Amino acid sequence: MKTTGMTIKEIRVSKNIKQEAIYSNLISRNLLWQIENDKINTSYDVFKEILNRLNVSFDEFLYIQNNFKSTPLQELQNRYNTIYTSIEIEILMDLKNDIDTYLEHHQNSPFLKDLERCLTAIIQIEQEQNDDFTKASSIVKPIWERISKQNDWYWEDIQIMSHIFYMFEQETALNICKELFAKLNNYRDFQNADRLEISTLLNISTMLLIQNKLSDSLIYLDKCITLAEEKNYFIQWAYALGTKAIIQSKQTNSNKGLELLHQALNILKTINQPLLADTLQADYNKYCSHS
């Protein structure tokens, strides 16, 4: 990885930006020289303004600094964020093992420690193949105990809680959901907030389906379907349609449910998600075999 000063200078020179355009009304020319040659570390405010004048975001700066690659930490976070379902247990276990390896050498990464707990709990649920989340909730309980004592929740807190709330008993889970949506409002225009809201709505509806609270589940599903379709999140949209098909069939409207299921399966197959299509079909069979 290149140094901070080296990266600043590389971007400036590459963009044909004169030194004066960077230091003018901000710092001295000599101070910019010292920063670019890693003689000193600058303040956050100065660094932020330098990036602004270079027209580069902080995330892009890190990407350039790491030779146009994600950092190992970013790579692990990106892999986690691209997991759409917990059914691919080998992918989950590989990621957990890679996070464990990273943490052996980088102890000061609280978010990754939370992700490791989250993955351990999800793997536990998938391996037991039942709706008893007692063991899983005990794994992630320390996360909730810490976050619940905070005066506010921040983006990483919201991300983590959106993935584990359903593991807790019903009253706690619903209280967490209320907090989640309240906190998400603070991040309405932040990165991937729409996707996180859609995933949370889908997780809530699934939790309520497991508890056989079909009408309540349908309320969240309809919100999820509308938002996912509007934002073009096709995987979540299809899975929400399939979950709604289960509810409609359980509510004795099996013909309408089957029609909706076939629509969801066709979408998943069209976007090359055959495993998800098979899983959705299996879920439908599980819940509706005696409807």
Side-chain angles (χ1 to χ4, degrees):
M1 179 182 284
K2 291 172 279 192
T3 65
T4 299
M6 186 188 305
T7 309
I8 290 172
K9 184 175 182 179
E10 175 187 309
I11 297 170
R12 180 181 63 76
V13 172
S14 178
K15 288 190 170 192
N16 294 314
I17 299 174
K18 295 184 181 299
Q19 287 182 322
E20 185 178 1
I22 302 299
Y23 71 73
S24 180
N25 298 318
L26 179 65
I27 53 177
S28 68
R29 181 173 186 169
N30 179 59
L31 198 58
L32 177 60
W33 181 89
Q34 291 184 68
I35 291 170
E36 289 190 342
N37 287 276
D38 297 295
K39 302 296 183 182
I40 60 169
N41 293 320
T42 187
S43 69
Y44 169 75
D45 287 338
V46 169
F47 179 62
K48 184 173 70 171
E49 181 57 26
I50 288 174
L51 292 188
N52 181 54
R53 296 182 184 194
L54 291 172
N55 194 26
V56 171
S57 70
F58 180 69
D59 284 343
E60 184 182 3
F61 182 86
L62 290 180
Y63 189 77
I64 296 169
Q65 186 178 21
N66 199 46
N67 297 311
F68 295 92
K69 296 183 295 184
S70 296
T71 65
L73 176 59
Q74 288 173 328
E75 180 64 26
L76 291 170
Q77 291 175 326
N78 290 340
R79 284 169 60 189
Y80 183 84
N81 289 332
T82 55
I83 295 174
Y84 289 100
T85 174
S86 59
I87 58 174
E88 298 176 284
I89 194 164
E90 289 185 5
I91 292 176
L92 296 176
M93 293 181 75
D94 285 345
L95 178 55
K96 179 187 176 301
N97 291 336
D98 288 344
I99 289 176
D100 287 338
T101 300
Y102 182 90
L103 288 173
E104 287 178 6
H105 305 284
H106 306 82
Q107 293 294 319
N108 192 24
S109 183
F111 183 60
L112 272 193
K113 290 178 181 178
D114 284 350
L115 281 189
E116 194 276 336
R117 281 186 178 273
C118 184
L119 284 168
T120 301
I122 293 171
I123 291 168
Q124 175 72 39
I125 291 170
E126 290 302 315
Q127 288 178 332
E128 291 197 345
Q129 289 290 309
N130 59 47
D131 296 331
D132 182 2
F133 298 162
T134 305
K135 291 180 180 178
S137 65
S138 67
I139 294 170
V140 296
K141 185 179 179 181
I143 299 175
W144 170 233
E145 288 179 340
R146 186 191 76 245
I147 293 176
S148 65
K149 295 174 184 175
Q150 295 179 187
N151 292 330
D152 210 342
W153 295 10
Y154 297 94
W155 183 242
E156 291 183 351
D157 304 322
I158 294 169
Q159 284 184 289
I160 287 294
M161 292 312 304
S162 72
H163 295 141
I164 66 174
F165 72 86
Y166 65 90
M167 300 178 191
F168 297 98
E169 52 88 20
Q170 178 183 332
E171 185 177 355
T172 301
L174 291 175
N175 285 335
I176 293 172
C177 289
K178 290 178 183 177
E179 284 293 312
L180 269 173
F181 287 118
K183 304 307 182 185
L184 263 172
N185 281 330
N186 296 332
Y187 286 87
R188 187 59 53 198
D189 298 320
F190 197 62
Q191 57 185 9
N192 296 322
D194 288 332
R195 175 180 168 176
L196 190 60
E197 182 177 4
I198 291 165
S199 298
T200 303
L201 287 166
L202 188 53
N203 284 340
I204 294 172
S205 62
T206 302
M207 177 188 74
L208 292 168
L209 170 61
I210 291 171
Q211 297 168 356
N212 207 36
K213 296 187 174 182
L214 305 184
S215 297
D216 292 339
S217 177
L218 201 54
I219 292 171
Y220 290 102
L221 268 178
D222 284 338
K223 292 178 181 177
C224 179
I225 289 168
T226 299
L227 187 58
E229 184 177 13
E230 177 187 332
K231 300 298 181 179
N232 295 325
Y233 285 99
F234 296 113
I235 291 177
Q236 292 88 336
W237 177 45
Y239 220 88
L241 288 173
T243 306
K244 185 173 182 177
I246 293 171
I247 292 175
Q248 288 185 335
S249 292
K250 285 178 69 67
Q251 290 177 326
T252 70
N253 196 344
S254 58
N255 288 335
K256 194 170 183 180
L258 279 172
E259 182 181 332
L260 201 56
L261 174 68
H262 292 149
Q263 180 186 351
L265 293 175
N266 285 335
I267 293 170
L268 289 172
K269 291 173 182 176
T270 299
I271 58 177
N272 197 28
Q273 295 291 334
L275 182 58
L276 280 178
D278 291 344
T279 303
L280 182 56
Q281 180 69 68
D283 284 346
Y284 184 89
N285 296 340
K286 169 187 171 183
Y287 286 104
C288 302
S289 58
H290 302 298
S291 297

